Amino acid sequence: PNVSITNPENGNIFIQDEDVQIEATATDSDGTVSRVEFYYDGNLIGEDTEAPYEIFWLDIPGGSIDLVAIAYDNEGLAGVSDTVSVVVRSKPIGTFINPDPANGLTLGDNTLRIDAQDPDGVVEKVEFILDGTKLGEATSSPFELEWAGAAVGTYEIYAIMTDNEGLVDSTDVLSFEVFQASAVTILSATLSQDADGVNVNWNTRNEVRIASYSVQRSLDRSFLTATELTSEAPVGSATRD
């Protein structure tokens, strides 16, 4: 059988995640066409068993993509179309760094920050939307914004990213808490001594963090080291002087 892709055409440009209709014509001089399969970069998209041969390709990925159609006739013989190359523009993507998706935000650390990237271009603007209201925007990396009115409570935030081609996408809505920084409670402590010096281990907790620390001091007091050993959920910030 003979087969050719009639839509899209070579060089067509699409936007990531949009739906594209792929169409092909197929004939067989001494039989009938039983089906037409559609592929991108060697991956099967789907097939059609009746003319007009077409398929809707949903949520197309970004990048340069090669499309091919393969027609099969009633005897199992196959014909392959010429390759049609298209370009799919990628949308910008973003991930929140602060507030931390798992740990929220401690009052006083009010810088909203997002890691925004564009696979085939440049992110030109990030808008911060808090509880449905735009707080402000950042136009260069690092994409961050000072949140002047931060207060203890629960909030929802998302960001809208715009790239150099005007493509726009947004992050998922992030629900997070703002905590009041609190004093640290020592849960337990142990003291030991060996040939290297004196070792102190203790566990601490505040409203948002449980952590274990180890402090070692040499016998001659020439050095002092402090190490955080573990941190358990919920995690936030804790200090000890």
Side-chain angles (χ1 to χ4, degrees):
N2 296 312
V3 60
S4 61
I5 295 176
T6 57
N7 184 70
E9 298 179 349
N10 256 318
N12 281 175
I13 298 176
F14 300 98
I15 307 300
Q16 181 182 5
D17 296 334
E18 82 175 296
D19 301 337
V20 175
Q21 183 173 0
I22 306 175
E23 303 170 356
T25 58
T27 59
D28 188 64
S29 59
D30 59 358
T32 58
V33 175
S34 60
R35 73 181 188 276
V36 174
E37 297 176 342
F38 297 91
Y39 291 84
Y40 81 96
D41 294 342
N43 302 293
L44 178 64
I45 302 171
E47 64 178 49
D48 196 357
T49 58
E50 296 180 354
Y53 301 103
E54 60 187 15
I55 192 170
F56 282 93
W57 187 14
L58 309 179
D59 301 327
I60 58 178
S64 297
I65 292 174
D66 291 334
L67 301 173
V68 169
I70 301 177
Y72 294 87
D73 68 9
N74 56 303
E75 295 179 339
L77 301 177
V80 182
S81 73
D82 291 336
T83 298
V84 172
S85 297
V86 299
V87 175
V88 181
R89 300 295 188 196
S90 297
K91 295 180 180 180
I93 56 178
T95 304
F96 273 100
I97 299 173
N98 199 40
D100 183 282
N103 308 324
L105 184 150
T106 301
L107 194 63
D109 180 16
N110 301 340
T111 301
L112 305 175
R113 186 176 300 107
I114 188 170
D115 177 20
Q117 303 178 16
D118 187 66
D120 58 4
V122 178
V123 177
E124 293 194 335
K125 180 174 63 175
V126 174
E127 301 169 86
F128 294 86
I129 313 298
L130 183 74
D131 287 345
T133 300
K134 179 178 175 179
L135 281 181
E137 62 184 50
T139 56
S140 62
S141 182
F143 296 99
E144 56 187 31
L145 180 72
E146 289 297 323
W147 180 15
V152 173
T154 302
Y155 302 87
E156 291 187 340
I157 192 170
Y158 69 94
I160 302 173
M161 294 77 62
T162 304
D163 71 7
N164 56 303
E165 294 175 332
L167 300 182
V168 178
D169 205 358
S170 61
T171 66
D172 293 334
V173 175
L174 170 64
S175 296
F176 69 99
E177 288 187 67
V178 176
F179 297 93
Q180 176 69 52
S182 61
V184 174
T185 301
I186 296 179
L187 302 178
S188 62
T190 60
L191 176 66
S192 63
Q193 180 175 327
D194 55 29
D196 295 323
V198 177
N199 301 284
V200 179
N201 292 274
W202 74 91
N203 298 321
T204 67
R205 177 175 188 149
N206 68 0
E207 291 178 359
V208 294
R209 186 186 183 102
I210 303 173
S212 297
Y213 296 86
S214 174
V215 172
Q216 183 182 66
R217 188 166 194 168
S218 61
L219 293 176
D220 61 3
R221 299 189 177 185
S222 61
F223 68 86
L224 176 68
T225 61
T227 305
E228 181 176 317
L229 302 176
T230 63
S231 185
E232 302 175 7
V235 180
S237 61
T239 62
R240 175 165 175 82
D241 296 332

